[in-house]
Amino acid sequence: AQKITQTQPGMFVQEKEAVTLDCTYDTSDPSYGLFWYKQPSSGEMIFLIYQGSYDQQNATEGRYSLNFQKARKSANLVISASQLGDSAMYFCAIPRYNQGGKLIFGQGTELSVKP
Amino acid sequence: DTGVSQDPRHKITKRGQNVTFRCDPISEHNRLYWYRQTLGQGPEFLTYFQNEAQLEKSRLLSDRFSAERPKGSFSTLEIQRTEQGDSAMYLCASSYFSGGGEKLFFGSGTQLSVL
């Protein structure tokens, strides 16, 4: 069965520094995607970045990049140059086996950016 | 494109009352999902529609829950005879599915409190 593990309940980072949020996964799907979402206190889940398991390069979207290590089954999110507005919950997610939009989420990491 | 919108943002009700939530997806999206998120957890899949057809219901969705998507546009989620355990954030998401990878875009959610 698919499973997502986020081992950091909370993280602190100084403004303008980089931070890495950990995500490991387990799946039997030979082809899969990994998602990261941001959830600020307003509640909306904001799509950040997607990595396909067969993508040759690590995904990047602005200040967000994925450190994808397929053999280790990890897909860590790197946020460069942290901003105060980055303070939020961050969730890693993977689709259920061959069932695209039915995502399995981790428990999330709460990131706090200090001024 | 105004994104996924949900109404109401907050709902407080007494145990035993019925409640209904509405979700308006991104207009060109053909799939619509409902998720539930309890405090400290990631969202969990409840049900989804492709156009107007409801294709799957999670076992988390008891008989007191019903969802509809008439005409394949907006969707409603109704909870009958609410219980305190129904207190949660109810998130709606939509996607355009055409056979490949599927990216979900979420709304801001409806926070339900059952007293």
Side-chain angles (χ1 to χ4, degrees):
Chain A
Q2 275 76 357
K3 185 180 179 181
I4 290 282
T5 303
Q6 295 181 254
T7 57
Q8 305 154 313
M11 290 279 288
F12 289 91
V13 64
Q14 205 68 37
E15 193 179 8
K16 300 181 184 178
E17 292 185 350
V19 63
T20 298
L21 306 183
D22 294 342
C23 172
T24 58
Y25 61 90
D26 193 12
T27 180
S28 53
D29 203 335
S31 176
Y32 53 91
L34 287 145
F35 298 82
W36 276 91
Y37 285 86
K38 172 185 178 182
Q39 188 175 41
S41 56
S42 60
E44 181 182 4
M45 295 284 285
I46 302 168
F47 168 78
L48 293 179
I49 196 166
Y50 168 83
Q51 176 81 44
S53 60
Y54 284 101
D55 291 343
Q56 294 298 313
Q57 294 186 327
N58 286 343
T60 60
E61 292 281 355
R63 294 186 298 111
Y64 305 107
S65 61
L66 251 170
N67 182 3
F68 182 54
Q69 298 185 49
K70 193 172 179 179
R72 299 179 65 180
K73 293 190 175 181
S74 75
N76 299 336
L77 177 71
V78 180
I79 305 174
S80 63
S82 298
Q83 301 173 357
L84 296 178
D86 294 335
S87 294
M89 286 291 293
Y90 288 81
F91 291 95
C92 181
I94 191 168
R96 292 187 185 179
Y97 182 84
N98 206 25
Q99 297 181 54
K102 281 163 275 184
L103 298 176
I104 297 171
F105 287 84
Q107 290 198 309
T109 296
E110 184 173 11
L111 178 66
S112 298
V113 181
K114 296 181 175 180
Chain B
D1 179 4
T2 57
V4 179
S5 62
Q6 293 187 244
D7 184 69
R9 290 295 309 277
H10 303 276
K11 179 71 177 178
I12 300 173
T13 191
K14 292 183 179 179
R15 186 163 50 97
Q17 298 293 305
N18 299 343
V19 295
T20 300
F21 312 140
R22 176 179 170 126
C23 171
D24 287 89
I26 295 172
S27 59
E28 64 268 24
H29 284 183
N30 55 0
R31 283 190 169 179
L32 185 148
Y33 294 80
W34 285 98
Y35 281 77
R36 181 171 68 187
Q37 184 180 23
T38 53
L39 199 62
Q41 303 294 320
E44 295 176 293
F45 167 78
L46 291 180
T47 187
Y48 88 105
F49 295 82
Q50 179 152 317
N51 300 313
E52 65 275 10
Q54 187 173 18
L55 297 187
E56 185 177 339
K57 293 171 63 173
S58 162
R59 63 177 181 272
L60 294 174
L61 220 60
S62 76
D63 292 344
R64 296 183 296 105
F65 288 71
S66 62
E68 295 182 343
R69 192 185 183 198
K71 302 178 183 178
S73 55
F74 71 93
S75 175
T76 57
L77 178 68
E78 181 182 15
I79 309 174
Q80 296 182 327
R81 305 181 303 280
T82 53
E83 301 173 356
Q84 288 185 327
D86 297 331
S87 296
M89 172 78 86
Y90 291 84
L91 290 160
C92 176
S94 70
S95 70
Y96 180 73
F97 177 72
S98 61
E102 190 173 355
K103 296 178 188 177
L104 266 60
F105 295 87
F106 284 82
S108 297
T110 295
Q111 182 68 52
L112 173 66
S113 298
V114 182
L115 305 178

